[in-house]
Amino acid sequence: MSQRKSYAVGTGLFIVLGFAALAYLATQTSSVANRQQGDSYTVDAQFQNIGQLKERAPVKIAGVRVGQVQSIALEPGKAVADVKLSIDKRYDTIPTDSVATVYTSGLLGDQYVGIEYGHAKKYVANGGKLALTRSSEPLEEMLGKFFGAGGAADAIGGTYKVFARFSNVGTLSAGSPVKMAGVPIGRVVSVQAEPDKLDALVTLAIDNRYNQIPDDSAAAVFTSGLIGSQYVAIQPGGSPDMLKNGDEMILTQSAMQLEDLIGKFLVNGSGSGDGKQGAGASTSPAGKH
Amino acid sequence: MNARIERDNIVTQSLGQIGACGLFLLQILAATPRSLRRHVRETVRQLWFVGAMSLTIIMVCGLFVGMVLALQLYHVLSIFGGTAATGTVVAISIYRELGPVITALLFAGRAGTAITAEIGLMRATDQIAAMELMAVDPLAYVAAPRFLAGLIALPLLCCVFSALGIFGGHLVGVTWLGIDNGTFWSNMTATVDVWQDIISGVVWKSLAFGAVVALIAVFQGYTAPPTSEGVAYATTRTVVASSIAILALDFVLTAFLM
Amino acid sequence: MNAAAPSDDTLIRIRGLTTVLSGKKVFDALDMDIPRGKVTAIMGPSGTGKTTLLKHITGQMRGDAGQVQVDGKNVPELGREALYALREKIGYLFQNSALLTDFDVFENVAFPLRQHTSLPEVLIRNIVLTKLQAVGLRGAAQLAPSELSGGMARRVALARAIVFDPMLILYDEPFVGLDPIALNQVLKLIRTLNQTLGITSVLVAHELDAIKQVADRVFLIANGKVVAQGDPKTIAGDGSPWTRQFFGGEADGPVPFQYPASDYAEALGFPRSGA
């Protein structure tokens, strides 16, 4: 009989342990952990573009989670997204001139709504509205502006070959595109190390249609997007003589490290962030050239 | 008899086994109410042998799976600068796939074989026949409790496995590789959905796997030829058939649930 | 069905039982009357279906034709519940004892009680200890089945079989593999149980000497039929070629030495007409 009881007790413990684990998973590692416990109030905000913002996305002030996106709807008759934010009652002192922005957590993360406090003495009430908003800035747009990445090279007829030497080609390889003003005009035929000159000799095959490239043009190794592949960009020079088959390009710029690019971007790009909002999508900005 | 076995090819044999297994499931289900009414203690006892005794292996494996996942993902994600997502990806992969599948495979190896061998030997030593002659229905006393125990135990084991997996992932990701503790948890809680990931992944999937593994194990034991060779062969078949069934069912369930 | 009243002297009445197993006729219109309150032995060459006959009596197997009436009920026609109700009144002793390896001796004997009754623990304990005392193994109550010798295991199985005070006990080869002491212990138990409790006993066995000491009646079956029956002390001398071969232990006779086979000379590759 004691044998039977110990089974029952042990089995009971096992079942309790199993359910405890389930409860832990469900409440501590899932979105349930983020559910509002206390009361909340609702605030409206209108955005030109919400990007990838979803319902139940977090709302943060100074990086601290204060609520979540309750609903997203299109404002009737206007190309404006009406976003209702559900914010914890404890944070009911948000100035009316605060700015709501759609941010991305990290480079690849989900989007959330960030609120920066304004200076007004009045606070937003339940059902009130945040008038000042900044829309989502698609990452592609920003990167596209900065890097001018383009699509793949067309299937093309005859080509001519030119050479270029780089001290660093990054991850450039045979088959990578060659672009001018963002438009593919050819591709890399081979990448060879030149042991005696301590650099890399890259052979480019350029479409015969593009035979009006000045011979003092510069070749640079660029990256399409942040984590994309690398390509050779040709920046036209001003010489009256054109590149011919077998020529070597003298001016080259080697591959930059991602960290350098981001550093440059942060220094140069952050100040003009406000002015860029709502700009037309242009993943290949030079596509019409 | 021999001539027939030779004539049957592997396809018709497998189909015959699946059909017999399905009929056996019906028999077990028919015996389940009787089993719960009269032999509920036996179900509790089997839950101990099948579930609680598998805890150690499940916990250790869960811990290591979580640890190795975090390690692998950290290095891949660091290429894209996305190490903050390590916790999320560990959680999602464990909840949706690795938790239910690995737990079920371990369960088939640890408990399924034990069930098959035990029932096979009970039959070989006439214990099943003895029960029938003592007017105790072996379907209700032997088969149904083990089936029910497997059905209940696997989801519970899978929860424990998943929890330990998350813990292992946290151990490697945060303690060793230095991902920020808050980032690890907040990214996870922002992405993991209770219904989509935990209930339909951990609970429903492992419930289905539990039913399949327990059914195969009981069926193989029940139909094993009453010889040492027969029992040994049935035990092997339990592992093979369970593994195939788990992975095939996993695909079907993923296609339907997700 | 209506032929047998419970007060009938015949407990088991088999009429025209015919069973075909994988193409072989195990029973061919077998008739047998097993008297109530007596010890009856069923003998016969190996493979004649003696154990199969017991399985027909308990309803584990069903014949292709004929009746097996036990206590007035035709077993092949019983539903599951009725069959189980009947089985509660039948004890069965397996050749290999078939103790449940999960439990110790005490729980093995208590098993039928726990499954079919909700008696208080004290009562179960008393019943079990009484039965174990009857087979002389009260001291072994806490042992596991794997710790028992063959003779002890058989006595435990016997205690389990009688725990419900059945009306009928079927013994499948109860003497096989026992040393003379254990054999006599089991023999004594069979006799005591029959005499003191009036339990009808059916034995399947080969040991004529042992059977002579306990059985009131012997059936010799071969080729699916009863070929001889009578008192165990005199049956060997009844003059039938079956009994002469079986009890005389002759290698060849009505039961052939050779398993049925094709022509020997042909199988060896010689021409049929002979060299």
Side-chain angles (χ1 to χ4, degrees):
Chain A
M1 218 40 204
S2 61
Q3 215 180 353
R4 285 160 179 275
K5 275 213 180 91
S6 72
Y7 287 137
V9 172
T11 309
L13 281 176
F14 165 63
I15 293 175
V16 168
L17 179 67
F19 276 103
L22 176 62
Y24 171 76
L25 296 182
T27 57
Q28 297 304 306
T29 72
S30 80
S31 44
V32 169
N34 295 337
R35 283 258 157 86
Q36 293 295 322
Q37 297 299 319
D39 292 338
S40 61
Y41 66 103
T42 310
V43 173
D44 273 358
Q46 293 185 334
F47 295 93
Q48 298 288 333
N49 185 351
I50 55 164
Q52 303 296 309
L53 192 71
K54 293 185 188 75
E55 288 185 12
R56 303 206 356 247
V59 175
K60 298 181 179 180
I61 296 174
V64 180
R65 190 191 167 91
V66 297
Q68 63 181 10
V69 173
Q70 196 176 39
S71 68
I72 298 172
L74 201 59
E75 183 81 350
K78 281 190 266 180
V80 171
D82 183 28
V83 178
K84 284 196 176 9
L85 310 174
S86 168
I87 297 172
D88 197 308
K89 262 270 159 56
R90 285 175 296 170
Y91 310 108
D92 58 354
T93 55
I94 300 172
T96 49
D97 62 344
S98 299
V99 181
T101 312
V102 178
Y103 283 118
T104 305
S105 13
L107 272 173
L108 307 167
D110 273 353
Q111 292 189 301
Y112 65 94
V113 176
I115 299 176
E116 283 111 59
Y117 277 7
H119 304 287
K121 293 282 184 292
K122 283 172 74 182
Y123 302 127
V124 180
N126 187 19
K129 192 166 175 176
L130 285 173
L132 297 174
T133 61
R134 254 180 308 194
S135 290
S136 161
E137 181 105 29
L139 187 63
E140 297 83 354
E141 218 168 277
M142 296 190 282
L143 294 173
K145 279 175 198 160
F146 188 70
F147 297 113
D154 295 333
I156 38 188
T159 58
Y160 64 97
K161 285 193 174 122
V162 295
F163 301 100
R165 292 179 189 279
F166 298 95
S167 58
N168 182 357
V169 291
T171 60
L172 193 73
S173 57
S176 298
V178 177
K179 298 180 184 180
M180 189 163 67
V183 183
I185 58 167
R187 54 192 181 82
V188 173
V189 178
S190 69
V191 179
Q192 288 160 320
E194 294 274 274
D196 49 335
K197 290 181 176 158
L198 296 173
D199 59 11
L201 178 66
V202 176
T203 312
L204 312 174
I206 297 174
D207 194 304
N208 278 335
R209 283 180 294 172
Y210 306 103
N211 55 4
Q212 299 293 311
I213 302 172
D215 64 359
D216 63 345
S217 299
V221 178
F222 279 175
T223 306
S224 20
L226 258 184
I227 52 176
S229 58
Q230 292 188 303
Y231 66 95
V232 176
I234 295 180
Q235 291 145 341
S239 163
D241 296 326
M242 302 302 157
L243 276 175
K244 295 187 299 294
N245 194 22
D247 278 357
E248 182 174 337
M249 300 178 75
I250 311 299
L251 294 171
T252 62
Q253 182 190 337
S254 291
M256 264 211 227
Q257 298 303 312
L258 189 62
E259 291 80 356
D260 297 344
L261 292 180
I262 291 181
K264 268 192 180 177
F265 180 69
L266 291 179
V267 173
N268 300 336
S270 62
S272 55
D274 295 358
K276 284 184 187 169
Q277 79 174 347
S282 54
T283 44
S284 54
K288 300 283 189 310
H289 287 218
Chain B
M1 236 359 223
N2 275 335
R4 246 185 74 198
I5 288 171
E6 274 170 40
R7 241 195 356 252
D8 287 350
N9 60 30
I10 194 155
V11 175
T12 51
Q13 263 187 35
S14 313
L15 283 177
Q17 285 263 311
I18 291 172
C21 204
L23 290 177
F24 189 66
L25 175 65
L26 293 182
Q27 283 182 294
I28 288 184
L29 291 179
T32 299
R34 254 179 295 142
S35 172
L36 287 178
R37 206 165 52 239
R38 293 197 195 158
H39 312 299
V40 71
R41 270 185 184 163
E42 185 60 14
T43 303
V44 171
R45 211 171 65 95
Q46 288 306 324
L47 205 46
W48 167 260
F49 285 122
V50 162
M53 299 296 269
S54 310
L55 263 181
T56 322
I57 182 174
I58 293 291
M59 289 170 84
V60 171
C61 291
L63 190 68
F64 279 115
V65 166
M67 285 167 71
V68 80
L69 259 185
L71 200 56
Q72 291 279 14
L73 287 168
Y74 181 85
H75 288 299
V76 174
L77 289 170
S78 66
I79 298 172
F80 309 111
T83 52
T86 305
T88 312
V89 187
V90 167
I92 297 274
S93 17
I94 287 183
Y95 293 159
R96 291 196 179 176
E97 285 299 328
L98 295 176
V101 170
I102 295 184
T103 312
L105 291 176
L106 290 171
F107 186 77
R110 164 67 180 75
T113 52
I115 290 175
T116 304
E118 191 189 10
I119 298 182
L121 283 174
M122 284 173 92
R123 186 169 273 293
T125 55
D126 281 339
Q127 293 184 51
I128 302 270
M131 285 180 194
E132 279 195 30
L133 291 173
M134 286 186 278
V136 173
D137 182 6
L139 275 174
Y141 186 80
V142 175
R146 285 167 174 78
F147 175 74
L148 290 175
L151 192 68
I152 299 168
L154 196 52
L156 296 174
L157 289 173
C158 183
C159 291
V160 174
F161 180 96
S162 304
L164 264 291
I166 300 295
F167 176 71
H170 182 264
L171 206 64
V172 167
V174 175
T175 314
W176 181 18
L177 297 173
I179 301 171
D180 177 63
N181 188 39
T183 311
F184 184 90
W185 291 116
S186 66
N187 275 340
M188 193 188 296
T189 55
T191 314
V192 174
D193 182 79
V194 184
W195 295 104
Q196 183 76 16
D197 298 318
I198 296 180
I199 301 298
S200 81
V202 175
V203 179
W204 290 134
K205 258 192 189 178
S206 53
L207 206 60
F209 292 164
V212 166
V213 175
L215 176 66
I216 290 175
V218 174
F219 174 74
Q220 293 293 355
Y222 221 78
T223 56
T227 59
S228 359
E229 193 197 8
V231 174
Y233 191 51
T235 311
T236 310
R237 259 189 318 206
T238 294
V239 175
V240 174
S242 300
S243 308
I244 294 172
I246 289 165
L247 295 172
L249 188 65
D250 183 46
F251 175 76
V252 175
L253 285 179
T254 307
F256 275 106
L257 285 176
M258 300 298 167
Chain C
M1 280 302 286
N2 52 5
S7 61
D8 197 341
D9 272 350
T10 304
L11 184 67
I12 302 171
R13 183 183 307 245
I14 300 172
R15 286 288 175 272
L17 180 65
T18 303
T19 302
V20 181
L21 283 181
S22 29
K24 191 184 165 224
K25 243 183 193 177
V26 181
F27 300 124
D28 185 7
L30 181 91
D31 292 343
M32 191 182 276
D33 287 317
I34 292 175
R36 189 183 293 269
K38 297 272 168 52
V39 178
T40 305
I42 298 171
M43 306 182 77
S46 301
T48 46
K50 301 181 294 294
T51 303
T52 313
L53 185 62
L54 294 187
K55 287 185 177 173
H56 280 80
I57 294 172
T58 57
Q60 285 168 285
M61 292 176 73
R62 281 167 202 215
D64 297 301
Q67 290 195 339
V68 180
Q69 287 180 15
V70 177
D71 202 23
K73 299 182 189 70
N74 188 19
V75 174
E77 289 172 5
L78 294 179
R80 214 187 65 90
E81 294 297 327
L83 184 62
Y84 275 20
L86 176 66
R87 282 181 185 171
E88 282 185 42
K89 292 190 273 180
I90 300 177
Y92 193 105
L93 190 72
F94 279 87
Q95 194 175 342
N96 59 12
S97 306
L99 297 178
L100 305 183
T101 39
D102 276 355
F103 300 125
D104 62 12
V105 166
F106 183 93
E107 286 298 328
N108 258 291
V109 179
F111 183 79
L113 290 172
R114 292 205 195 283
Q115 297 308 319
H116 294 298
T117 69
S118 46
L119 295 177
E121 188 61 27
V122 183
L123 203 52
I124 288 183
R125 194 182 140 76
N126 285 348
I127 295 174
V128 171
L129 291 182
T130 316
K131 302 299 177 187
L132 281 176
Q133 176 75 21
V135 298
L137 288 175
R138 190 166 51 83
Q142 304 308 322
L143 295 184
S146 55
E147 296 172 289
L148 303 175
S149 70
M152 285 162 82
R154 209 159 291 173
R155 280 148 70 192
V156 173
L158 189 54
R160 184 178 66 179
I162 60 171
V163 77
F164 262 130
D165 297 326
M167 63 173 181
L168 167 69
I169 301 185
L170 306 173
Y171 299 88
D172 187 4
E173 311 257 6
F175 310 120
V176 167
L178 296 186
D179 64 71
I181 302 170
L183 190 148
N184 274 313
Q185 286 169 337
V186 172
L187 206 56
K188 175 170 167 269
L189 281 170
I190 294 174
R191 201 163 42 215
T192 316
L193 288 172
N194 174 248
Q195 284 167 0
T196 57
L197 302 172
I199 302 173
T200 308
S201 305
V202 177
L203 285 89
V204 163
H206 296 294
E207 295 81 352
L208 185 62
D209 290 338
I211 284 173
K212 275 180 184 165
Q213 296 181 45
V214 286
D216 301 302
R217 193 169 181 79
V218 169
F219 288 93
L220 181 63
I221 57 174
N223 285 3
K225 283 182 166 34
V226 175
V227 293
Q229 54 178 300
D231 186 79
K233 295 187 181 62
T234 57
I235 188 168
D238 75 344
S240 132
W242 292 98
T243 49
R244 201 175 57 237
Q245 188 197 359
F246 188 75
F247 296 113
E250 291 164 16
D252 210 351
V255 180
F257 174 71
Q258 289 289 346
Y259 191 84
S262 62
D263 187 71
Y264 185 41
E266 201 177 359
L268 291 178
F270 297 118
R272 194 174 184 117
S273 51

